[in-house]
Structure formats: structure tokens, C-alpha cells
């Protein structure tokens, strides 16, 4: 039998041990089947290939792994910045890592950056800003104003007028600042809305933006009811009262689940067992022996 030497392992092997290759003068590959199979397998399970495969699997679920902190997060503008230069259109690191990176970069050239900002403000004609107040300072001042209002209604009216004047004189800048804040802190806005609704309806208990974040993470960014990945925090997920407020549910965090808009709206004011009795049996059935 005619033999052929493998260029890779150096052994003499029968022609049947080599893959056919019409492009080569000998009609078969230079390296033997065993060696080629091994090389192919190695390439398939190499770290790059594995990472690539994971990327595809995650992308299918609308998720992405941060190249910096390695955390898996929804591929939404809440967690990742956009990029025109990357393959998938998103920045390779998550927003938390990105802001840490930017902050470090900014701090490196702090003096220069501050001077540049001040110049830009002067160019745009933005009024000089007083140094930022601490939260305690701001709350103390608000309490003081409130006290003065109660003591002396005329003085209170005067203070209110001054506040309105101040707002009017700088309206656009202040409104833009408020809009920027709202966009950056969707959970905070939900918290405020929920709080004022709760106050209006006199519902017991309250939950905060950080409660919502905690619940989101505990639910792995999936709808509590259907398991779909919830998208952009500012719109597509709802803080759902498991027992609706209209049916006596509280505002305590343990009555709050994250739901997709579809499930939340479809559930409406129904009790879970009125909505989906097969999944949430009514309490009497659940607890009788
Ligand atoms: Zn070989
Ligand atoms: Zn990260
Ligand atoms: Zn859902």
C-alpha cells in the first residue's frame, strides 16, 4: 500500500488517513486526518471562539457582557452606550465602567478641563453658578423656609415670590437641568410618582428607586410573569403591585415585582388568581390541607 508522510506529526500513514483535497498535487491534505481534526476542535473551543459563541447567545436574549467588569447586562441604552465603530453598534464596556473610565480620564486633566468648562459657560452666556450645596444644607434651608412660611404668611408669600422670580430669570437652564436629571434617573422619577400616588390614595408603605434596582437585579432583568427580558428602564418595564393597590395591596417593596408593559397592563386591577389562576392558585386553595 502506498504511504504518505504527514507534514505535521511526521508519521507515515495510508492515503485513507488523509482528507481529500483536489487543490493539492497529491490530491490530499499535507497533514493527516487525526492532526487536522485535532486542530479544528482546538480552534472551535479556543477562548476567542467561546467568547464569540457566548456573545451570539447573549445577543439573542438582548444581553451583552461588559468587556471590563464582565457583568452581563441588557443591551439597552440604560446599561451600554452606543458606538458607531463597534461591530454590534454598542460600546464594549457597560455604562458604569464607562463613567468610571471617563471620570479617571477627566481627573487626570482636571485643571485644564475645569478651565475649559468655565470658558464654555462664559462663551454661552450662562450665569455663574454658585458652588453646589450639600443635600443637608439644601434640606435645612427648605425646612427653614417652611418654618418661616408658617410663622408669617406674608413673609412666606414674599419668599415664594422670590423663588418664582429666580426660576423665571433662569428658566431654560433650570428646566434643561431637570430634564437631564430625569433622563439619568428613571428609577428616581418612578419613586417620586409612586410616592405622590401613594400619598393621594393613602396607601401604606413605600418603595424607593434603589428597591426597584434591587428587585430588577434579583429578577435578572426579566418580567416576573412571562420571563421576557425587560428593556429600557425608563419605559418598557413597570413596577407592578402583585396585589393591586385598588384591591388593598401595599406599597411595601415586598408587594412590588418588575413586569413587562404587556403583563402589567393585562393584569390591571385583577388579583393574580383572577388574572392567571393556573399559575397563582387562590389563597384558599393554596393553604387548605
Ligand atoms: Zn499526522
Ligand atoms: Zn462594566
Ligand atoms: Zn411579561
Amino acid at each position: 500500500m502506498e504511504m504518505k508522510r504527514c507534514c505535521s506529526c511526521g508519521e507515515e500513514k495510508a492515503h485513507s488517513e488523509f482528507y481529500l483535497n483536489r487543490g493539492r498535487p497529491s490530491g490530499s491534505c499535507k497533514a493527516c486526518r487525526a492532526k487536522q481534526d485535532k486542530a479544528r476542535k482546538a480552534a472551535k473551543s479556543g477562548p476567542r471562539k467561546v467568547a464569540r459563541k457566548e456573545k451570539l447567545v447573549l445577543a439573542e436574549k438582548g444581553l451583552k457582557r461588559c468587556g471590563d467588569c464582565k457583568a452581563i447586562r441588557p443591551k439597552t441604552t440604560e446599561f451600554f452606550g452606543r458606538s458607531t465603530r463597534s461591530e454590534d453598534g454598542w460600546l464594549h464596556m457597560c455604562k458604569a465602567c464607562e463613567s468610571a473610565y471617563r471620570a479617571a480620564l477627566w481627573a487626570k486633566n482636571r485643571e485644564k478641563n475645569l478651565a475649559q468648562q468655565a470658558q464654555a459657560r462664559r462663551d454661552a452666556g450662562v450665569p455663574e453658578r454658585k458652588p453646589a450645596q450639600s443635600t443637608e444644607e439644601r434640606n435645612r434651608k427648605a425646612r427653614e423656609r417652611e418654618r418661616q412660611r408658617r410663622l408669617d404668611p406674608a413673609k412666606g408669600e414674599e419668599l415664594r415670590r422670590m423663588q418664582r422670580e429666580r426660576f423665571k430669570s433662569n428658566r431654560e437652564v433650570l428646566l434643561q437641568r431637570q430634564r437631564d436629571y430625569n433622563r439619568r434617573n428613571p428609577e428616581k422619577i418612578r419613586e417620586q410618582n409612586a410616592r405622590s400616588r401613594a400619598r393621594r390614595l393613602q396607601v401604606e408603605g413605600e418603595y424607593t428607586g434603589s428597591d426597584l434596582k434591587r428587585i430588577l437585579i434579583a429578577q435578572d432583568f426579566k418580567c416576573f410573569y412571562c420571563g421576557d427580558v425587560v428593556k429600557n428602564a425608563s419605559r418598557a418595564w413597570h413596577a407592578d403591585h402583585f396585589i393591586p393597590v385598588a384591591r388593598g395591596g401595599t406599597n411595601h417593596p415586598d408587594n412590588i415585582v418588575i413586569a413587562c408593559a404587556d403583563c402589567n397592563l393585562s393584569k390591571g386591577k385583577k388579583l393574580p388568581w383572577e388574572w392567571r389562576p393556573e399559575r397563582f392558585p387562590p389563597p384558599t386553595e393554596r393553604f387548605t390541607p
Side-chain angles (χ1 to χ4, degrees), residues 223-228 230 258-264 275-276:
C223 169
F224 180 79
Y225 301 110
C226 69
D228 274 359
V230 287
I258 303 295
C260 71
D262 288 347
C263 289
N264 178 255
W275 181 53
R276 297 230 171 118

Side-chain angles (χ1 to χ4, degrees), residues 57-64 73-76 229-231:
V57 171
L58 288 177
E60 222 162 79
K61 298 185 194 152
L63 300 170
K64 180 177 168 78
R73 296 278 176 259
K75 219 189 226 184
T76 65
V229 171
V230 287
K231 294 277 155 59

Side-chain angles (χ1 to χ4, degrees), residues 10-283:
E11 282 174 45
E12 291 240 353
K13 291 186 174 178
H15 264 299
S16 60
E17 292 301 307
F18 293 81
Y19 282 115
L20 293 178
N21 185 342
R22 273 188 221 121
R24 300 202 56 78
S26 66
S28 60
C29 291
K30 276 161 78 183
C32 69
R33 280 173 191 255
K35 207 67 189 184
Q36 284 200 334
D37 286 347
K38 216 168 151 189
R40 256 183 222 134
K41 207 167 165 193
K44 222 179 237 170
S45 57
R48 287 184 78 94
K49 265 277 159 65
V50 168
R52 188 134 194 100
K53 211 164 163 191
E54 189 207 53
K55 204 168 157 185
L56 291 176
V57 171
L58 288 177
E60 222 162 79
K61 298 185 194 152
L63 300 170
K64 180 177 168 78
R65 187 187 285 283
C66 168
D68 212 29
C69 68
K70 309 296 179 203
I72 295 175
R73 296 278 176 259
K75 219 189 226 184
T76 65
T77 47
E78 194 199 356
F79 297 96
F80 289 95
R82 305 300 311 227
S83 161
T84 51
R85 274 181 292 177
S86 76
E87 192 185 344
D88 65 352
W90 297 89
L91 216 61
H92 75 283
M93 60 167 98
C94 71
K95 277 206 170 162
C97 291
E98 185 193 350
S99 62
Y101 169 76
R102 282 188 201 284
L105 204 67
W106 196 90
K108 227 170 94 183
N109 304 310
R110 186 162 187 278
E111 296 309 317
K112 209 175 110 201
N113 287 329
L114 282 176
Q116 241 172 34
Q117 277 182 351
Q119 187 58 47
R121 272 200 298 274
R122 277 193 297 276
D123 291 348
V126 177
E128 285 289 334
R129 222 172 138 180
K130 274 184 249 155
Q133 295 175 346
S134 68
T135 314
E136 291 86 61
E137 179 81 347
R138 209 168 29 235
N139 290 346
R140 193 186 61 70
K141 282 188 180 163
R143 272 199 304 277
E144 178 60 22
R145 276 199 301 274
E146 194 51 47
R147 198 177 67 86
Q148 296 223 7
R149 258 173 223 153
R150 249 179 287 133
L151 284 177
D152 182 352
K155 178 102 192 270
E157 197 40 57
E158 173 66 12
L159 279 170
R160 214 163 282 165
R161 197 189 56 73
M162 275 164 59
Q163 245 179 343
R164 270 200 298 270
E165 285 299 311
R166 226 181 358 249
F167 179 78
K168 249 193 244 160
S169 70
N170 207 5
R171 198 184 136 82
E172 279 318 307
V173 174
L174 290 174
L175 278 179
Q176 190 54 47
R177 205 176 286 166
Q178 181 69 46
R179 279 194 290 269
D180 289 345
Y181 176 86
N182 292 356
R183 206 172 31 242
R184 278 196 313 273
N185 299 284
E187 299 90 352
K188 284 261 190 252
I189 304 309
R190 274 160 199 275
E191 175 188 336
Q192 281 168 17
N193 290 346
R195 203 172 277 164
S196 62
R197 201 176 322 128
R199 211 176 299 128
R200 202 169 58 234
L201 300 171
Q202 296 187 308
V203 186
E204 188 203 329
E206 66 181 39
Y207 60 90
T208 62
S210 71
D211 284 324
L212 290 181
K213 264 202 173 150
R214 183 174 51 72
I215 297 168
L216 253 180
I217 289 168
Q219 286 181 209
D220 206 12
F221 300 89
K222 288 177 188 142
C223 169
F224 180 79
Y225 301 110
C226 69
D228 274 359
V229 171
V230 287
K231 294 277 155 59
N232 193 332
S234 60
R235 289 201 183 79
W237 58 261
H238 292 200
D240 180 75
H241 290 88
F242 186 68
I243 305 294
V245 166
R247 306 298 291 276
T250 70
N251 239 339
H252 286 302
D254 56 11
N255 190 37
I256 303 295
V257 296
I258 303 295
C260 71
D262 288 347
C263 289
N264 178 255
L265 296 177
S266 140
K267 182 164 167 274
K269 287 180 183 168
K270 293 191 203 84
L271 290 167
W273 34 95
E274 294 169 349
W275 181 53
R276 297 230 171 118
E278 68 294 348
R279 165 117 185 254
F280 305 104

